[in-house]
Each structure stands twice: as C-alpha cells, then as structure tokens.
Amino acid sequence: MLATVGSAALTGIAGCSGSESGGSDTIDCQTSAPDHGDGDVLDTGARGMVEDSDVRLAVPLSVDDVRENDIDRLEVYDSADTLAYTIPVSTDDAGLMANKGGVNEGQLLYEQSLGHRPFHGRYRVLAVNTGGETVDFVTVEVNCFTDVSD
C-alpha cells in the first residue's frame, strides 16, 4: 500500500497529468522526481519551468505545512551534492503571493533561477525547519530544451 501511495504521490509531484516518468512535461521543459522523502511537506514536489529563456525551479508549499513544521528554508543541492541555493521560507509570504500566478489559495510558491535553456540538471530540495532538521526532501531531474515550436 505504501508503494502505491508513494508512486501516486510521485506522479503528482511535479504537476504531471499522465506522464509515465512521474514528472511535468511541457514543450519547453520536462521534470521528473526519482526520489522523495517520507514527509509530506514536499508532496507537491518541485518543477522546472521556462519564463522567456530563463529556467526556474518552482517549489510549491502549503502555508499550513510551513507553519506546522516550522519550515525556515529550502536548501537546494546540485548533482554533486553541493549546496547551490538557500531559499528563505515564511508564512508571512502568503500575502505577497496571493495574487501570483500558479499559486492556489493557502499555498506559497518559491522560485529559483537556474540558468538559460537549454538546461539540464538534477537537484535535491530539502525543507528545513528552524532547528536545522530536514523535514522532507524531493529529488528532481530537469530537462529544459531550446525554444521549440508546436
């Protein structure tokens, strides 16, 4: 049962609607999530997205999850397991994100610029609380391609 639930969670992790890879597929960017922690803070995963030619890592979080787990930051590690980015997290950000596109009510959306496309990378995203403990993690592989047309 846990394997089924975990598999279902991975399918939804990156906003996928039917991708066999468990990721988010668009004409610009494909994201898969090959590994996920036992927590549920990052159940909505992380995804690569393209804005103009800029590739961004987007991580949605529930305001309630941030509050209940005392999430202080997201740590993003690259494929060499080196800390690449630290993204501060706060429930106070909800007011600022209320009118942001791609954010549901009660949700925070944190983004980090990764580079220009074409871009390919693997990242491990950790949700860390104020005590420095990892609450949850997700590993994502991002492949964002050159500007292609339908």
Side-chain angles (χ1 to χ4, degrees), residues 67-86:
R67 184 178 297 114
E68 291 167 11
N69 292 282
D70 204 19
I71 304 298
D72 177 61
R73 65 189 178 275
L74 296 172
E75 293 181 351
V76 181
Y77 290 82
D78 62 19
S79 60
D81 207 29
T82 302
L83 181 63
Y85 308 101
T86 300

Side-chain angles (χ1 to χ4, degrees), residues 65-143:
D65 283 344
V66 170
R67 184 178 297 114
E68 291 167 11
N69 292 282
D70 204 19
I71 304 298
D72 177 61
R73 65 189 178 275
L74 296 172
E75 293 181 351
V76 181
Y77 290 82
D78 62 19
S79 60
D81 207 29
T82 302
L83 181 63
Y85 308 101
T86 300
I87 305 168
V89 172
S90 172
T91 55
D92 295 338
D93 296 336
L96 298 171
M97 293 187 186
N99 297 320
K100 186 176 176 68
V103 177
N104 297 324
E105 188 174 332
Q107 193 175 49
L108 305 167
L109 182 65
Y110 292 95
E111 297 178 68
Q112 175 63 52
S113 179
L114 298 176
H116 296 288
R117 66 179 173 174
F119 183 89
H120 313 286
R122 181 181 178 113
Y123 294 93
R124 188 168 47 99
V125 180
L126 280 63
V128 181
N129 67 18
T130 55
E133 300 168 324
T134 298
V135 176
D136 199 8
F137 78 90
V138 64
T139 300
V140 294
E141 293 176 349
V142 176
N143 289 303

